[in-house]
Amino acid sequence: MALSSNLGYPRIGRQRQWKKHIEQYWAGRLDEEALHEELRLIRLEHLRKQQEAGIELIPVNDFSYYDQVLDTAVMLGVIPTRFDYVGGKVSTKLYYEIARGSKDQPASEMTKWFNTNYHYIVPELNDVNPQLTYNAPLEAFREARHELGIEGKPVIIGLYSFLKLAKGYRADETSQWIEKLLPLYVTILKELETEGATWVQFDEPALVTTITDEALEQLRYIYETLAKQAPSLRIILQTYFDSIERYEDIIQLPITAIGLDGVHGWEQNLSQLQAYGLPKNKWLAIGLIDGRNIWRTNLSEAGVKLDQLQHLVESERLIIQPSCSLLHVPVTAADEAKLPAEIKQVLAFADEKLDEVVQLTNRCEVLSEQWERNCIETDEAYAVFNNLEQRKQQQTLTERLNELLEQGIGRTVSFNERYPLQLEKHQLPLLPTTTIGSFPQSAQVRAARSRWRKGDWTTEEYDTFIAEEINRWIEHQEQLGLDVLVHGEFERTDMVEFFGEKLGGFCFTTNGWVQSYGSRCVKPPIIYGDVTYRGPMTVKETVYAQARTTKPVKGMLTGPITIMNWSFTRQDIPKEAIAFQLAYALRQEVEALENAGISIIQVDEPAVREGLPLKADAQARYLEASIATFKLTTSVVKPDTQIHTHMCYCDFHDMIAAIREMDADVISIETSRSHGELIHSFEEQTYDLGIGLGVYDIHSPRVPAAEEMVQLIERALQVLDSRLFWINPDCGLKTRGEEETIAALQQMIQATSIVREKLLSGVVHPS
């Protein structure tokens, strides 16, 4: 019989209890023992849910106190040398210092998990001496067995992918690091084998990217060693997010099962199965339930896929599961009482997807009347949903988009001509200073928004409160000496949700939270229909702020690709079409801001890089669409109106040329969290537009000294033109406290003054 399986479950809890307990611990309101107990209860609840749903291969060791890659690094003793780790099991305090920084040391780099909006902590190999600090999969296996009688399936990030995710070593040192780390993996497996574990899931998502001949040999060596040392364990080599590369070679490895994505990359995975088959001694673990979106599975279509597979693989060798970990979707749709019934009935979050896995697994054995009823019910639900007015393609919207694209998009005046006009208009000094957009959302701000949403405050009362916050922070910014100000975004819950609430084609959940990084959770909007502009969204607050200062105030928008990538999108039209609808709507907001007298407008695109397809042949089209939608959004402005954009927490080395093509007058981009490594890209590639490299990490409570920022600025000025260089933090300051925000900005302004004086006196020689 086929087996039902899950690859991972959301760790945040139905009411985000996970987040709340961790933040209480950070704030000193929960001691370590209590933290461990609270998170243990959440972990057991999640295991119990999967057990009750009927999942047979239940993942263990997918739970984390922060991030699963950080967990793996800590387990293997890969602790950055600056933290003076002396061996043994890593304390909770040190664990969080690696993730968030300490008083004396910066945090490890954080970047996006493949092409998702989840962030992981980058392991730093450098000069560390790996050691097995504890066997986390073994502890998780024992806990599930002892507490719930579950014979769990330990989940481990595979050694090949772990090294691909890490930094601090050269490519030609990969084999050396395999030799250092592989014995630790062997110990983990041998102890699991002794404990009686049956299945082990090795997550190797890097196998959907390019695999060289050398990498293939490394994979053979790794898995031959593991299989030889723990021969009774059934190893699932799990891939996801796209089709596997070199399937015909990978399937020959000494593994029990190959895990393939049956949603993203389905066609290629199927064609490889048809071309090369599945060895008779191996299983196929196929992800037929979308683990990255929130729509109910079309059971009829999934059944067709299952029939295609059963012509290739006997049911006895099938494992049915989601396409990836359910970490990327909310916990349950059961709590969504406020959504229209037509929409709610086609939603499936993590809990509902578990039920779908079981339904499909049962379908492998028998085509029952219940299955037929489920298919009919799903088809009827989608028929009602598709009949919603906002779901129908609007001919006028499509015609207008085509008209604009035919006319051509792009600024009519070159950067070299327009940038001097902008500097003169706004009276900007050498090394202008600014922030990314948001200021701290204090408990008072959140409470005010809650009172207004509940109806306890009138709109007038709420607007008065927001105006007072804007006034206060305009005053702070002027006192600090910033050159380009922002209104602070106190009226915004989230940089995507805010715009979705004001555009047509969106709907919103009540509890649809998803982990983004650390304890930071987001509630992605749902794009269910055509995106339409319904009127000004940001003009009121921006114009209000501008009226209170003689310095320029930036209008702040989220870009079309980011809104798309950070939303759950409809599936009936191409994502590119959604992006162009968003761009056209935002273009109208850019026009409204400029017409209201705002002449610096920032269109943030932090999610452009994360959405880059994992396959090289799809990347060019994606980047072309990203460039085109940005230009469609911004090219409507006058030459002396300055367009900014912002990107962060991704590896941008391979898309500098595409960023240049977007033709923003100024880009602010993260570099401090990655310890300035992006600067190396500008040694190899020319960037001749305005640029601000973030000089301090806003995701850490640590306030760096001015001299630390000076060093980063001076390093950047060795390769970037000081006349085009801006000074700013890494990202928005929404999650920081007021005191630390002001302190950090004071250091940033001091650092700017030091470097500016050096430049003017000739001590620092500009690029």
Side-chain angles (χ1 to χ4, degrees):
M1 293 180 61
L3 295 176
S4 59
S5 178
N6 187 26
L7 304 187
Y9 188 84
R11 58 185 66 122
I12 62 175
R14 188 166 180 170
Q15 301 298 327
R16 289 182 295 157
Q17 309 96 302
W18 179 87
K19 165 190 173 69
K20 294 167 186 174
H21 295 320
I22 289 174
E23 291 180 352
Q24 286 173 342
Y25 169 76
W26 291 342
R29 297 194 298 271
L30 191 70
D31 64 33
E32 185 173 336
E33 184 179 351
L35 173 70
H36 292 321
E37 177 59 17
E38 294 290 357
L39 297 193
R40 185 185 76 89
L41 294 175
I42 295 173
R43 188 165 59 242
L44 292 177
E45 177 192 351
H46 295 171
L47 291 172
R48 189 178 295 109
K49 271 191 178 185
Q50 295 172 82
Q51 183 183 45
E52 292 173 353
I55 299 297
E56 292 161 296
L57 298 183
I58 297 174
V60 296
N61 195 47
D62 59 317
F63 190 84
S64 176
Y65 277 45
Y66 197 94
D67 161 57
Q68 68 269 22
V69 183
L70 174 61
D71 295 347
T72 306
V74 165
M75 178 177 69
L76 300 174
V78 179
I79 312 299
T81 53
R82 64 183 174 278
F83 287 101
D84 298 324
Y85 170 68
V86 295
K89 189 167 182 178
V90 174
S91 68
T92 305
K93 177 176 179 293
L94 176 55
Y95 174 87
Y96 283 126
E97 285 178 345
I98 297 168
R100 305 177 71 236
S102 67
K103 181 180 179 181
D104 302 316
Q105 298 298 340
S108 288
E109 180 182 353
M110 179 173 67
T111 196
K112 297 295 175 71
W113 175 249
F114 293 88
N115 59 349
T116 75
N117 186 32
Y118 177 78
H119 305 61
Y120 74 92
I121 300 298
V122 180
E124 300 175 35
L125 300 183
N126 297 311
D127 299 320
V128 302
N129 294 309
Q131 59 179 280
L132 189 62
T133 63
Y134 73 117
N135 191 334
L138 178 64
E139 291 185 9
F141 179 80
R142 284 173 170 168
E143 179 184 63
R145 173 189 275 176
H146 179 264
E147 297 287 344
L148 298 170
I150 292 173
E151 296 294 318
K153 175 190 58 170
V155 177
I156 307 170
I157 294 177
L159 176 51
Y160 178 80
S161 291
F162 178 77
L163 288 173
K164 288 291 185 182
L165 297 167
K167 69 175 188 177
Y169 71 105
R170 301 191 311 271
D172 62 4
E173 297 174 326
T174 302
S175 294
Q176 297 174 36
W177 277 102
I178 290 173
E179 293 294 347
K180 290 180 181 181
L181 292 168
L182 186 54
L184 309 184
Y185 274 80
V186 167
T187 300
I188 292 168
L189 281 201
K190 291 179 77 171
E191 290 180 356
L192 282 168
E193 184 181 45
T194 300
E195 193 70 21
T198 303
W199 292 91
V200 176
Q201 174 184 317
F202 275 102
D203 281 0
E204 292 281 16
L207 296 187
V208 305
T209 61
T210 302
I211 301 174
T212 64
D213 290 342
E214 182 182 16
L216 188 61
E217 288 304 312
Q218 292 165 349
L219 282 160
R220 286 196 184 105
Y221 177 64
I222 290 169
Y223 283 95
E224 285 173 359
T225 301
L226 294 176
K228 181 178 180 180
Q229 295 296 323
S232 70
L233 280 178
R234 294 179 170 183
I235 293 176
I236 304 174
L237 186 64
Q238 184 63 54
T239 69
Y240 36 80
F241 300 149
D242 213 315
S243 59
I244 190 172
E245 290 289 302
R246 302 187 69 161
Y247 167 84
E248 67 276 22
D249 297 310
I250 299 297
I251 197 58
Q252 300 303 324
L253 297 177
I255 55 176
T256 305
I258 186 72
L260 302 180
D261 194 325
V263 177
H264 308 278
W266 159 251
E267 291 81 6
Q268 181 63 20
N269 276 334
L270 177 63
S271 68
Q272 292 184 104
L273 277 165
Q274 291 169 334
Y276 301 107
L278 184 75
K280 293 296 183 182
N281 63 337
K282 290 183 169 63
W283 294 56
L284 173 65
I286 187 70
L288 295 176
I289 307 298
D290 192 346
R292 294 184 59 173
N293 215 328
I294 43 74
W295 302 111
R296 187 172 174 176
T297 300
N298 185 311
L299 294 179
S300 299
E301 293 178 2
V304 171
K305 289 182 178 180
L306 203 52
D307 290 339
Q308 290 175 295
L309 291 171
Q310 288 182 297
H311 282 102
L312 304 169
V313 184
E314 300 92 338
S315 295
E316 292 75 14
R317 293 190 291 137
L318 277 177
I319 300 172
I320 307 301
Q321 56 193 22
S323 63
C324 62
S325 169
L326 298 178
L327 173 73
H328 306 286
V329 295
V331 174
T332 179
D335 297 333
E336 302 304 326
K338 295 183 180 180
L339 282 172
E342 299 90 340
I343 296 176
K344 182 179 178 180
Q345 67 183 356
V346 292
L347 296 182
F349 296 172
D351 288 353
E352 291 75 27
K353 290 179 187 295
L354 295 177
D355 292 335
E356 291 180 337
V357 167
V358 174
Q359 287 182 51
L360 271 173
T361 305
N362 293 336
R363 163 69 168 71
C364 289
E365 304 306 318
V366 59
L367 191 62
S368 66
E369 291 183 9
Q370 182 60 50
W371 169 263
E372 296 292 348
R373 285 195 296 271
N374 290 340
C375 288
I376 292 170
E377 180 191 339
T378 303
D379 291 344
E380 290 176 347
Y382 270 108
V384 173
F385 175 61
N386 289 330
N387 200 42
L388 292 173
E389 186 62 33
Q390 197 75 35
R391 289 275 292 172
K392 299 174 181 177
Q393 283 282 6
Q394 298 185 21
Q395 185 176 354
T396 54
L397 174 61
T398 304
E399 289 174 353
R400 178 58 179 147
L401 273 170
N402 290 337
E403 180 184 331
L404 287 170
L405 293 174
E406 287 172 7
Q407 291 173 357
I409 50 176
R411 304 290 289 271
T412 56
V413 176
S414 73
F415 172 79
N416 289 335
E417 295 176 276
R418 64 182 190 258
Y419 195 68
L421 300 176
Q422 296 161 8
L423 293 179
E424 181 180 356
K425 178 175 183 176
H426 301 110
Q427 293 296 293
L428 297 174
L430 182 68
L431 305 183
T433 57
T434 189
T435 61
I436 302 305
S438 59
F439 279 122
Q441 296 238 337
S442 63
Q444 291 82 1
V445 170
R446 296 192 299 273
R449 186 182 301 117
S450 177
R451 293 188 190 104
W452 173 62
R453 287 188 181 275
K454 290 178 180 177
D456 297 336
W457 273 13
T458 64
T459 297
E460 289 74 21
E461 288 175 308
Y462 181 61
D463 287 348
T464 298
F465 174 84
I466 295 297
E468 290 170 352
E469 286 296 296
I470 293 173
N471 291 340
R472 199 162 63 84
W473 279 94
I474 288 290
E475 185 176 341
H476 280 323
Q477 292 173 85
E478 289 191 320
Q479 289 174 350
L480 284 163
L482 288 162
D483 298 307
V484 175
L485 313 189
V486 296
H487 80 277
E489 303 180 19
F490 305 106
E491 78 285 3
R492 305 184 189 184
T493 53
D494 174 83
M495 65 183 292
V496 172
E497 183 180 52
F498 173 81
F499 290 96
E501 288 177 334
K502 297 178 180 296
L503 294 166
F506 285 77
C507 65
F508 302 88
T509 62
T510 303
N511 290 296
W513 297 98
V514 176
Q515 184 187 3
S516 176
Y517 66 87
S519 67
R520 167 76 168 153
C521 296
V522 294
K523 190 151 58 70
I526 299 171
I527 302 177
Y528 76 94
D530 292 311
V531 178
T532 51
Y533 186 69
R534 300 192 299 195
M537 301 177 282
T538 66
V539 174
K540 181 175 71 173
E541 291 82 8
T542 311
V543 168
Y544 179 84
Q546 184 63 82
R548 270 134 193 88
T549 181
T550 57
K551 292 187 174 183
V553 174
K554 287 190 287 189
M556 301 299 305
L557 306 179
T558 304
I561 296 294
T562 295
I563 293 179
M564 180 182 71
N565 284 342
W566 288 359
S567 299
F568 292 121
T569 55
R570 60 193 292 186
Q571 296 179 307
D572 59 315
I573 64 174
K575 292 187 76 171
E576 184 177 300
I578 299 171
F580 276 103
Q581 289 183 3
L582 284 161
Y584 179 51
L586 292 166
R587 176 189 178 94
Q588 295 170 78
E589 183 68 6
V590 167
E591 289 181 295
L593 281 167
E594 188 179 52
N595 291 337
I598 303 303
S599 54
I600 299 183
I601 301 171
Q602 182 168 309
V603 181
D604 289 341
E605 282 290 25
V608 164
R609 177 59 178 83
E610 78 179 44
L612 189 69
L614 300 174
K615 304 294 188 187
D617 56 359
Q619 290 176 356
R621 179 176 174 85
Y622 171 84
L623 289 173
E624 286 173 7
S626 298
I627 293 165
T629 54
F630 188 85
K631 287 183 173 180
L632 177 61
T633 302
T634 59
S635 62
V636 68
V637 299
K638 301 170 186 174
D640 61 357
T641 293
Q642 191 170 74
I643 295 295
H644 287 230
T645 190
H646 169 65
M647 299 178 186
C648 60
Y649 303 106
C650 276
D651 181 359
F652 294 103
H653 301 271
D654 56 357
M655 59 172 291
I656 298 297
I659 293 172
R660 172 66 180 78
E661 284 298 309
M662 292 170 75
D663 200 26
D665 297 304
V666 181
I667 179 174
S668 56
I669 194 165
E670 178 274 328
T671 190
S672 72
R673 183 88 187 214
S674 56
H675 309 154
E677 292 173 8
L678 181 63
I679 295 170
H680 178 65
S681 295
F682 299 110
E683 296 172 345
E684 301 174 340
Q685 304 178 66
T686 299
Y687 194 85
D688 54 0
L689 306 182
I691 185 167
L693 297 184
V695 297
Y696 77 91
D697 173 21
I698 65 88
H699 289 102
S700 171
R702 176 176 175 269
V703 176
E707 186 53 40
E708 200 174 308
M709 300 188 205
V710 168
Q711 292 174 7
L712 191 60
I713 296 167
E714 290 182 345
R715 181 183 170 194
L717 290 178
Q718 293 175 12
V719 295
L720 292 166
D721 190 338
S722 61
R723 295 166 298 178
L724 304 176
F725 198 80
W726 288 62
I727 310 291
N728 47 259
D730 263 357
C731 200
L733 297 161
K734 173 182 175 180
T735 61
R736 301 270 52 92
E738 182 168 325
E739 185 177 335
E740 69 189 68
T741 293
I742 291 174
L745 289 175
Q746 286 172 335
Q747 296 298 307
M748 187 184 86
I749 296 297
Q750 183 181 343
T752 305
S753 298
I754 292 170
V755 179
R756 188 181 287 155
E757 185 175 338
K758 287 182 177 181
L759 283 168
L760 293 173
S761 64
V763 175
V764 173
H765 299 286
S767 168

